[in-house]
Amino acid sequence: MRKPLITPDKISRLLSFLGPFLGLLLIILIFAMIPEVQDRFLRFSNLKSVTTQSVIVALCALGMTMIIISGGIDLSVGSSIALSSVVIAYAIKSGLNPFLSILLGILTGGIIGFGNGVLITSFKIVPFIVTLGMLGIARGIAKWIAGNQKIDAPLTWINQLMTKYPDPSWLLLSPGIWITLILAIFIALVLKHSVFGRHTFAIGSNEITARLCGIRVNKVKILIYTFSGFLTGLAGVMEFSRLTVGDPTVAIGIELDVIAAVVIGGGSLRGGEGSVLGSMIGVFIMAFLRNGSTMVGWPNYIQEIIIGSIIVIAVTIDQLRYRKEL
């Protein structure tokens, strides 16, 4: 007996793949049809602005995608961004070369990620607790370095990384967007075609089985958290570029946007599932949602209620899908 070409399992997989794209299309259509904003929402200048504003969340989402696929989570990304931006501002103000200041900021994020990875693997502490503690530690160090106030640094070429009008003009988009795009392609290729990527999925799917198969789980996890930390440090560079100051109070709560973007994009908090493409679509869903809400004039608390609801709905759908697979 021939098997049917279209099975419920194939339909379910197709809907899971198309879900984030349909969600993005729905968000865009909803705001494009609201009379108060429809003449401005789809303008090229607004699309360019949304894309530029998405860079910081997108960089963090790239790292969070790997972490969530491996079965972990990181709540310290917002504080890591703040600390990295403060370190860069402090370094430039002290006369350090801008290029070395960027490296210092990225290294700061990497050290935080490495610390998270070592604590999680060495002491067998759940990632939620470790990164929640690191959230407070990094934010406190940022405030200590900055003296609990903003650090004004001299303008340098770093401040051009997030400009909406790049120089040279043939770039069309800000350098930060191009850097994010290149990193997204690189990480997607690593996850899909490298041994490291296969080990990441294997650990998230079943850590015990992965250990029995000879995968050095602790080493892979530390590498994942460290690399994610470097990406968060780079997000701190972009935050400094956007604000032109080192502010220890920035990016509070951004971890929710990052986690929501990855989950909306198909990442499973149980581990073993997720993709760079899905996470990037999730980032744009969050960005267009915030942009449209601001244009309409909805207060910030309405945006927070909507985003919180989306997270709950996305996780609920993931749980229902998991029960169905059992």
Side-chain angles (χ1 to χ4, degrees), residues 4-326:
L5 292 176
I6 302 176
T7 63
D9 184 54
K10 286 183 178 177
I11 294 174
S12 176
R13 288 183 183 179
L14 183 63
L15 288 176
S16 295
F17 176 75
L18 293 178
F21 294 92
L22 295 175
L24 177 60
L25 186 62
L26 181 64
I27 294 290
I28 292 175
L29 284 176
I30 288 174
F31 285 108
M33 289 191 295
I34 296 177
E36 290 88 345
V37 300
Q38 62 183 184
D39 60 331
R40 294 175 289 142
F41 187 68
L42 291 180
R43 282 183 184 173
F44 177 70
S45 59
N46 187 51
L47 298 178
K48 194 174 175 181
S49 176
V50 170
T51 309
T52 305
Q53 291 168 4
S54 302
V55 165
I56 294 169
V57 174
L59 284 169
C60 296
L62 290 175
M64 191 68 79
T65 300
M66 292 191 296
I67 289 175
I68 286 181
I69 289 174
S70 71
I73 200 162
D74 186 357
L75 301 179
S76 66
V77 291
S79 298
S80 182
I81 288 172
L83 179 56
S84 297
S85 69
V86 164
V87 167
I88 295 165
Y90 185 85
I92 292 176
K93 190 176 181 181
S94 301
L96 194 66
N97 180 288
F99 181 74
L100 293 177
S101 300
I102 286 179
L103 291 182
L104 199 58
I106 295 174
L107 182 64
T108 300
I111 291 172
I112 293 173
F114 178 77
N116 283 334
V118 169
L119 289 171
I120 290 167
T121 55
S122 301
F123 299 98
K124 308 298 180 191
I125 308 174
V126 293
F128 179 86
I129 299 298
V130 171
T131 57
L132 184 63
M134 194 62 78
L135 177 153
I137 294 170
R139 184 73 66 181
I141 294 174
K143 289 180 179 178
W144 174 47
I145 293 174
N148 217 17
Q149 58 187 351
K150 297 175 184 176
I151 297 179
D152 293 308
L155 292 177
T156 64
W157 56 265
I158 298 177
N159 302 108
Q160 297 299 312
L161 291 175
M162 288 287 279
T163 180
K164 285 191 288 186
Y165 305 100
D167 184 20
S169 58
W170 53 262
L171 280 174
L172 296 178
L173 302 171
S174 72
I177 294 175
W178 292 113
I179 292 170
T180 306
L181 183 62
I182 292 169
L183 285 170
I185 294 171
F186 171 73
I187 294 170
L189 291 174
V190 167
L191 284 174
K192 192 165 187 177
H193 298 291
S194 73
V195 174
F196 176 77
R198 287 193 287 275
H199 286 180
T200 302
F201 277 96
I203 292 170
S205 299
N206 192 321
E207 186 172 326
I208 296 174
T209 304
R211 287 184 189 277
L212 292 173
C213 290
I215 296 175
R216 300 172 69 180
V217 174
N218 289 357
K219 181 181 176 183
V220 174
K221 279 190 174 182
I222 291 173
L223 283 174
I224 289 170
Y225 277 94
T226 303
F227 188 63
S228 177
F230 284 131
L231 289 170
T232 308
L234 183 57
V237 174
M238 299 303 172
E239 185 74 51
F240 169 76
S241 173
R242 188 173 70 89
L243 298 177
T244 70
V245 297
D247 186 351
T249 63
V250 296
I252 293 176
I254 198 174
E255 50 275 350
L256 285 184
D257 280 18
V258 175
I259 293 169
V262 177
V263 173
I264 291 169
S268 172
L269 292 177
R270 292 175 290 100
E273 292 181 34
S275 70
V276 169
L277 178 60
S279 296
M280 293 301 100
I281 296 297
V283 168
F284 280 112
I285 288 176
M286 304 296 294
F288 276 112
L289 193 57
R290 286 195 181 279
N291 177 260
S293 300
T294 304
M295 278 187 159
V296 174
W298 293 343
N300 195 47
Y301 61 83
I302 295 291
Q303 298 178 33
E304 291 172 354
I305 292 172
I306 293 174
I307 290 170
S309 301
I310 288 176
I311 294 174
V312 172
I313 292 170
V315 173
T316 303
I317 292 173
D318 179 51
Q319 286 296 321
L320 292 174
R321 192 177 57 185
Y322 174 65
R323 289 176 188 173
K324 193 176 178 181
E325 290 172 356
L326 291 176

